[in-house]
Amino acid sequence: MSGLGEKYPTWETTKPELELLGHNPRRRRITSSFTIGLRGLINLGNTCFMNCIVQALTHTPILRDFFLSDRHRCEMPSPELCLVCEMSSLFRELYSGNPSPHVPYKLLHLVWIHARHLAGYRQQDAHEFLIAALDVLHRHCKGDDAGKAANNPNHCNCIIDQIFTGGLQSDVTCQACHGVSTTIDPCWDISLDLPGSCTSFWPMSPGRESSVNGESHIPGITTLTDCLRRFTRPEHLGSSAKIKCGSCQSYQESTKQLTMNKLPVVACFHFKRFEHSAKQRRKITTYISFPLELDMTPFMASSKESRMNGQLQLPTNSGNDENKYSLFAVVNHQGTLESGHYTSFIRHHKDQWFKCDDAVITKASIKDVLDSEGYLLFYHKQVLEHESEKVKEMNTQAY
C-alpha cells in the first residue's frame, strides 16, 4: 500500500544485536499452539465494551505490524497523555508472552480524558468506543512524521487513516434532467439497518437463491450481502425533500445512492442492533449471516452501472483481488439494552479463532464465530493481510 513503510530505513543488524542473537539461538515459530498475542484484559467495572475493541484492534494485522515495529514517534507536548503511546505500550504488553491478564487502567484513564462522554463506570456502546478511540488516535497521530507528510491539509496520512478510512460516495440524481451531483466523504465504518427495525428493510425476493460472497441464501435468513445491497440501493427522496439541481437550476425530486468510492484496508461493519425512537428503546436480535471472505466489488462506485432498477447484477467472478477481504474479528453483545455484556472473537492465525471474554480467552471454532449474533464485523484486505502474515512470522521467529 502506498505510504506504508516508505519513510523507514531498512533495518541493519548491529554488532550488539548479533551477539544477543548468538546467546539466544532458540526461536518461537508460528504453530497451531502458538499463543503470543493471546492475553486477557481485566474488566475494570463495566469496561467489556473497551476490552472487546482492544482485542479487535490488537489483532488487526497491519496495525499490529506498525506498533510492534516501533513506528510511532510521539511529538505531543505531554507524551503521558498520548493515546498512541499507550497503544504502543498495550501492543508490547499483549505480545510479550505474559499469560496473566493485563490491567488496562491507563488506557481507560486516557479515554476518559480525551472522550469525556465515555467517562464513568456505566456500560457504554462498543461501536461508540471504537469511533471515539479511532478519532483520538487519529488526532494524536497528526503530530508525527506520517501525519505531517499529508499534502492535503484536509487529509491525514497517519496510520489510522491509512488503515481504516474509506471513501463513501453519494450520488444525487435529478429526476427531471438526470443531472448527477456527487460528494465523497471519509468513513471509518458502515452502519447497516436490520430487518425488524423501524426503517423499512429491502427483502430478498421469495425463494431466490444467492451465492454472493459464498453466502448460500436460506429463506428467512438475512445476510451481510443483503444489508449491503440495501445500503447501496437507489433511494427516492420524495416530493417533500426536493433539492435544487445544479444542472437545471430548479427544485426537483431526486434519488440518492451510496456506493464505496475507496475501500479501506480494514472494513468495519456495524449492525444497528440498538434502536432508539420516540416510542421505545430496544435491541434487535435478528441473526445476520456473514461470510469468512467478502468481495466488495459489487458495492463499488465503479460497479454502479451493473445496477438495474435497484437490483444488483452480481458478477460471477469479479477477478479483482484488491476488493477482497477476510474476516478477522467479530464483536458480540449478549443481553438487553439495560443489562448486557460484550465479547469478541478474534482470529489469531490462519483458521485459529479464540473467544475473548475480558480476562478469559478460550479456543473457538469457525462455526462458533459464524453462528454468533454479530454486532461489529472486522474484515482485512486479503492482498495486504498476506504480506502482513509473512512479516508476523518473521518477527515472531526473532523472539
Side-chain angles (χ1 to χ4, degrees):
M1 180 180 179
S2 177
L4 282 178
E6 290 182 358
K7 292 178 58 54
Y8 303 98
T10 304
W11 174 60
E12 297 290 343
T13 311
T14 64
K15 187 176 179 181
E17 288 169 339
L18 285 173
E19 291 176 354
L20 283 172
L21 289 172
H23 291 302
N24 297 275
R26 294 184 62 186
R27 304 285 186 273
R28 288 179 178 156
R29 297 183 180 276
I30 294 179
T31 63
S32 59
S33 60
F34 184 78
T35 58
I36 299 296
L38 293 175
R39 190 173 181 185
L41 296 168
I42 295 294
N43 191 317
L44 300 173
N46 286 327
T47 58
C48 56
F49 70 93
M50 177 181 76
N51 290 347
C52 66
I53 297 300
V54 168
Q55 292 289 3
L57 291 179
T58 53
H59 286 86
T60 301
I62 285 190
L63 192 66
R64 175 199 64 214
D65 293 346
F66 175 86
F67 280 109
L68 292 184
S69 300
D70 199 23
R71 296 284 179 88
H72 174 56
R73 297 292 182 267
C74 183
E75 295 191 17
M76 285 186 65
S78 302
E80 67 276 7
L81 296 179
C82 177
L83 189 64
V84 189
C85 288
E86 176 55 26
M87 283 298 292
S88 296
S89 174
L90 194 62
F91 270 87
R92 289 194 298 270
E93 286 290 343
L94 267 62
Y95 284 87
S96 67
N98 188 337
S100 63
H102 178 65
V103 185
Y105 67 91
K106 188 174 180 182
L107 176 67
L108 182 64
H109 175 65
L110 289 178
V111 169
W112 285 2
I113 292 175
H114 299 296
R116 294 188 180 278
H117 63 291
L118 296 175
Y121 287 103
R122 64 186 182 278
Q123 180 63 271
Q124 302 286 355
D125 179 32
H127 174 247
E128 189 174 1
F129 174 80
L130 170 66
I131 299 303
L134 291 179
D135 178 60
V136 176
L137 288 168
H138 156 74
R139 286 190 278 119
H140 289 189
C141 278
K142 278 188 174 180
D144 66 18
D145 292 338
K148 291 177 179 178
N151 295 323
N152 183 351
N154 297 319
H155 175 71
C156 178
N157 198 38
C158 72
I159 189 64
I160 299 302
D161 276 306
Q162 289 189 60
I163 293 177
F164 293 96
T165 300
L168 187 63
Q169 179 169 319
S170 173
D171 294 316
V172 177
T173 305
C174 174
Q175 294 298 285
C177 70
H178 302 291
V180 180
S181 174
T182 299
T183 57
I184 301 173
D185 296 308
C187 63
W188 279 332
D189 70 326
I190 296 176
S191 292
L192 300 169
D193 290 318
L194 301 181
S197 68
C198 291
T199 307
S200 60
F201 189 74
W202 185 41
M204 294 282 289
S205 300
R208 176 179 174 178
E209 291 296 324
S210 171
S211 59
V212 187
N213 289 317
E215 298 171 331
S216 296
H217 184 258
I218 303 172
I221 299 294
T222 303
T223 69
L224 172 61
T225 300
D226 293 338
C227 296
L228 286 169
R229 289 173 63 183
R230 185 193 185 282
F231 181 79
T232 56
R233 84 198 193 289
E235 177 186 2
H236 185 65
L237 298 181
S239 57
S240 61
K242 289 184 178 180
I243 297 175
K244 187 175 182 179
C245 175
S247 298
C248 59
Q249 295 299 311
S250 61
Y251 285 90
Q252 300 288 346
E253 292 188 25
S254 57
T255 59
K256 178 181 179 180
Q257 184 174 11
L258 297 174
T259 50
M260 295 303 298
N261 176 272
K262 172 182 174 292
L263 290 174
V265 174
V266 170
C268 175
F269 301 103
H270 162 232
F271 291 135
K272 296 180 183 178
R273 294 202 175 276
F274 304 128
E275 192 168 65
H276 304 271
S277 64
K279 294 183 179 180
Q280 62 180 340
R281 296 173 65 253
R282 67 188 182 113
K283 178 186 174 185
I284 300 171
T285 58
T286 306
Y287 170 70
I288 306 295
S289 171
F290 50 92
L292 286 173
E293 296 186 347
L294 176 69
D295 187 354
M296 286 293 289
T297 302
F299 313 108
M300 296 292 293
S302 56
S303 301
K304 188 178 175 181
E305 61 273 12
S306 68
R307 297 172 185 274
M308 302 295 292
N309 300 320
Q311 297 295 319
L312 182 59
Q313 300 281 320
L314 295 165
T316 54
N317 184 10
S318 67
N320 191 346
D321 291 337
E322 288 288 330
N323 300 337
K324 293 182 179 178
Y325 288 80
S326 293
L327 183 72
F328 72 91
V330 178
V331 169
N332 288 285
H333 178 272
Q334 293 86 36
T336 63
L337 273 173
E338 292 74 24
S339 177
H341 181 61
Y342 288 101
T343 60
S344 59
F345 287 106
I346 56 96
R347 192 195 60 199
H348 184 52
H349 176 61
K350 293 185 179 178
D351 293 330
Q352 299 291 321
W353 284 87
F354 291 84
K355 181 179 181 179
C356 302
D357 186 350
D358 289 330
V360 180
I361 296 182
T362 53
K363 192 169 179 57
S365 67
I366 293 177
K367 185 177 185 301
D368 293 333
V369 178
L370 298 182
D371 285 349
S372 66
E373 189 176 272
Y375 179 50
L376 298 172
L377 308 178
F378 294 84
Y379 285 85
H380 198 287
K381 271 195 174 182
Q382 290 182 358
V383 289
L384 292 173
E385 180 187 38
H386 176 67
E387 295 301 317
S388 184
E389 285 301 315
K390 290 197 295 186
V391 171
K392 176 183 177 183
E393 185 162 3
M394 290 170 61
N395 287 340
T396 51
Q397 287 178 11
Y399 275 128

